[in-house]
Amino acid sequence: MKKTLGQLFLIAVVLWGCAKGINPNDTAKVEAAFSKYEDSDGKSIFREKCAKCHGYRIPETKTASQWPGIMDRMARKAKLTDDQKSAVLAFVTKHAKAS
């Protein structure tokens, strides 16, 4: 029973983590979601690196005050250089949801 509950909890956590992402294989949705942003290095890096694990989460899913902590954790995992991290952080904070 405990093993089953643990497995169900793990599945729920994984699904919750992917809930707001756009499936990278749905090219039309990805293009529509990102077409509203001007082209920038931050946008390109965000699309290329972040989708590998999360699907595409648009910057508006977090506030500008939430993104720096997320970027501190995720930049290491994505193996971003300091310049890449700065570019992505500038992109996501510019387009973040209002707090």
Side-chain angles (χ1 to χ4, degrees):
M1 180 71 169
K2 285 184 180 182
K3 185 177 180 179
T4 302
L5 287 175
Q7 290 171 337
L8 288 174
F9 178 74
L10 180 61
I11 291 169
V13 168
V14 169
L15 291 175
W16 176 79
C18 298
K20 292 187 180 177
I22 300 168
N23 182 340
N25 297 321
D26 192 339
T27 308
K29 279 189 178 179
V30 170
E31 291 306 318
F34 282 88
S35 66
K36 64 183 170 187
Y37 310 119
E38 72 283 348
D39 288 335
S40 68
D41 289 340
K43 175 184 169 180
S44 298
I45 297 163
F46 184 81
R47 287 186 63 175
E48 177 186 331
K49 299 285 188 169
C50 301
K52 289 181 181 179
C53 298
H54 300 290
Y56 290 105
R57 290 190 181 201
I58 58 174
E60 295 93 330
T61 60
K62 304 290 181 196
T63 64
S65 63
Q66 291 173 312
W67 277 115
I70 294 167
M71 287 303 303
D72 285 344
R73 289 189 310 276
M74 301 313 296
R76 288 189 301 269
K77 292 179 182 184
K79 296 181 173 67
L80 298 181
T81 66
D82 288 341
D83 288 343
Q84 289 174 319
K85 178 183 171 185
S86 294
V88 172
L89 185 58
F91 169 69
V92 295
T93 56
K94 179 178 182 179
H95 299 290
K97 73 178 174 181
S99 43

